[in-house]
Amino acid sequence: MKKINLSIKTNIFISMLSLTLVMIGILWTLQGIFFSSLYKATKENDIERASNLIVDSIGTENIEVTINQIVDEYDLCIQVFMCKDASVLYSPECKSNGCIIHQLTNDGLYYHWLNGINNSENGIFSEISNAENGDDFLVLTRLVTDTKGEVYLLVLNASVEPVQATISAVRAMLILISVLFLVSATVISLILSKRLSSPIINMNNNAKRLARADYNIEFNTDGPIEIRELAKTLNITTRELGKLDSMQKELIANISHDLRTPLTMISGYAEVMRDIPDENTNENLQVIIDEAARLTSLVNDLLNVSKLQAGTQTMNIQRMNLTRAVANTVERYSHFKEHNDFTITFEYDSEVYINADEIRLLQVIYNLINNAINYTGIDKTVIVTQTVENDVVRISVKDSGEGIKEEDLPLIWDRYYKVDKIHKRAVIGTGLGLSIVKNILLLHGSRFGVSSEIHKGSVFWFEFKITD
Ligand code: ADP
């Protein structure tokens, strides 16, 4: 189906106008269908009420006054017959043009009405059509007995054809209502469409700037709730994208710098060893090997984080001894950092097994311990603890460093995020370590977190369900 390109303004305008036209249509249709039956029902009601009033005052002195009042008030024609001699008792002059009973003036009239009447207390209605003009009339005939036992025949009549004046009045009213509807619908839809569309148009212009990587924009948070919410979300997104953009630029600068340092060392040492035979020593070779290892670990980190984020890494979940894995990593570190006076301890009660991808989990343990060593305080102490509660094991890595500010806590797990570069020891830091930790733990469905106090240190932890 072909898409119709209409602006939101035109859409609202057309919808409102269509709705109004439909409502006007319904109004006119209802008027056409129901007006005559409604008019007839009203007349029937009037005749019934008038006949009750006459019945109440029949045989009293007020009867004539009552009948005249009814004729004036209800626009009806009335005749009252005495049944004992079939004579006309009252036949007030008829003021309405909807009269049929005064036109039927012949002697047999009484019998005409009496014919077909039954003893129904409220009388019976009959409809008569005027043979000349086809107009319909409603006639009520009713037998009444007064307190003295005298019997009367009441005949009341009204035309059920609405008079032209009534029809014209209703028409004029409907035309007025239709015009008012159309005018107000046009004005309201114009105002509404402008009010609704202008924040969206505004937002669209800003979104186009955002698509061109312009992060110095502010979405206007005016307008309806949904638009305000959208503007707030887009403002947050813009800020985050801006942050990510500068972090990425910073990362490229960092990585270039970090890659250049070991590369300079490697090429420098290699050249010296080539040119000066005496410098061809194992120590110099070790420098080249160490620098190559630093390069490898940096490149591995970068690869890991992009693979984890792209979700292309397959997991190899197997039963593994978590306690041993932590103990071995701590052991390796204690040995490696001995000459720097680091104290890394591992406290645990018993060995526990979990289901996990061992290689990835070792990355987690390694990264947390590595960070703790890099950021711990002057006592150079890191405490790793294993606690077991019910069937859940928790590994916590505690350092005594500067801690992390509360506002930074949710951000440190993001890619490229680095809080502070001053206190960090001379180790390559890419801001990728915790992002790798987070993604691996998420893939395992583990709970993890950090608690930190400024100047006291941080505790990073993660949990796993114990298996038998
Ligand atoms: P990096 O390579 O910079 O250490 P990470 O992703 O491992 O990257 O950590 C992100 C940031 O979180 C770090 O730059 C540091 O500011 C903060 N951080 C991580 N671990 C600790 C810790 N144990 N104590 C204090 N700050 C930490």
Side-chain angles (χ1 to χ4, degrees), residues 371 375 399 404 412 417-419 424 429-431 433-434 458 460:
N371 273 353
Y375 294 102
D399 66 63
I404 305 160
I412 54 170
Y417 195 81
K418 291 170 137 201
V419 176
K424 198 159 172 179
T430 53
L434 286 181
S458 318
F460 282 81

Side-chain angles (χ1 to χ4, degrees), residues 312-332:
T312 52
Q313 253 192 354
T314 45
M315 299 282 279
N316 179 21
I317 305 279
Q318 273 177 346
R319 184 172 179 268
M320 63 168 279
N321 188 328
L322 174 69
T323 321
R324 262 306 87 227
V326 177
N328 286 344
T329 316
V330 169
E331 173 68 28
R332 227 171 297 135

Side-chain angles (χ1 to χ4, degrees), residues 301 367-376 397-405 408 411-421 424 427-437 450 452 457-460:
D301 261 10
N367 273 323
L368 292 182
I369 296 178
N370 204 42
N371 273 353
I373 288 170
N374 289 332
Y375 294 102
T376 198
V397 182
K398 183 175 186 302
D399 66 63
S400 58
E402 275 300 294
I404 305 160
K405 278 192 238 134
D408 287 326
L411 305 171
I412 54 170
W413 306 93
D414 290 348
R415 259 189 310 178
Y416 317 130
Y417 195 81
K418 291 170 137 201
V419 176
D420 183 352
K421 287 159 242 155
K424 198 159 172 179
V427 175
I428 292 172
T430 53
L432 295 172
L434 286 181
S435 168
I436 293 173
V437 168
V450 54
S452 190
S458 318
V459 182
F460 282 81

Side-chain angles (χ1 to χ4, degrees), residues 62-246:
N62 294 337
I63 181 70
E64 201 161 349
V65 180
T66 310
I67 287 177
N68 285 333
Q69 264 174 6
I70 290 170
V71 167
D72 284 344
E73 208 174 303
Y74 289 90
D75 193 20
L76 302 174
C77 293
I78 299 172
Q79 274 185 331
V80 182
F81 295 88
M82 296 264 311
C83 288
K84 63 178 179 204
D85 54 4
S87 61
V88 177
L89 186 63
Y90 301 110
S91 184
E93 194 191 332
C94 172
K95 287 171 187 153
S96 102
N97 58 353
C99 172
I100 188 84
I101 51 182
H102 288 98
Q103 291 171 21
L104 306 171
T105 44
N106 61 50
D107 289 343
L109 197 56
Y110 168 75
Y111 296 102
H112 172 83
W113 293 131
L114 203 61
N115 194 14
I117 204 165
N118 57 18
N119 282 332
S120 149
E121 203 185 313
N122 295 321
I124 55 164
F125 275 106
S126 47
E127 263 184 61
I128 300 174
S129 262
N130 187 331
E132 282 169 28
N133 57 13
D135 281 357
D136 288 330
F137 296 91
L138 206 56
V139 179
L140 175 77
T141 43
R142 183 172 174 179
L143 281 176
V144 194
T145 313
D146 71 4
T147 44
K148 292 175 197 143
E150 198 70 63
V151 186
Y152 305 88
L153 172 66
L154 303 187
V155 183
L156 292 93
N157 127 262
S159 165
V160 289
E161 301 296 334
V163 278
Q164 196 50 45
T166 317
I167 296 172
S168 308
V170 171
R171 285 261 155 82
M173 195 71 176
L174 272 180
I175 291 170
L176 192 72
I177 290 174
S178 307
V179 171
L180 278 179
F181 259 37
L182 270 175
V183 173
S184 43
T186 312
V187 173
I188 291 173
S189 58
L190 278 177
I191 297 173
L192 202 73
S193 57
K194 192 164 166 25
R195 268 178 63 179
L196 284 178
S197 62
S198 62
I200 296 177
I201 292 168
N202 203 350
M203 207 168 266
N204 188 23
N205 290 338
N206 274 340
K208 280 181 190 159
R209 284 176 61 191
L210 183 61
R212 291 194 296 269
D214 178 355
Y215 304 113
N216 296 319
I217 45 167
E218 185 74 27
F219 287 89
N220 197 346
T221 49
D222 291 337
I225 295 180
E226 292 83 354
I227 302 226
R228 279 205 306 252
E229 298 258 308
L230 183 61
K232 274 185 205 156
T233 316
L234 284 170
N235 276 335
I236 295 171
T237 314
T238 311
R239 274 198 295 278
E240 289 302 313
L241 281 174
K243 248 191 246 167
L244 199 65
D245 187 56
S246 47

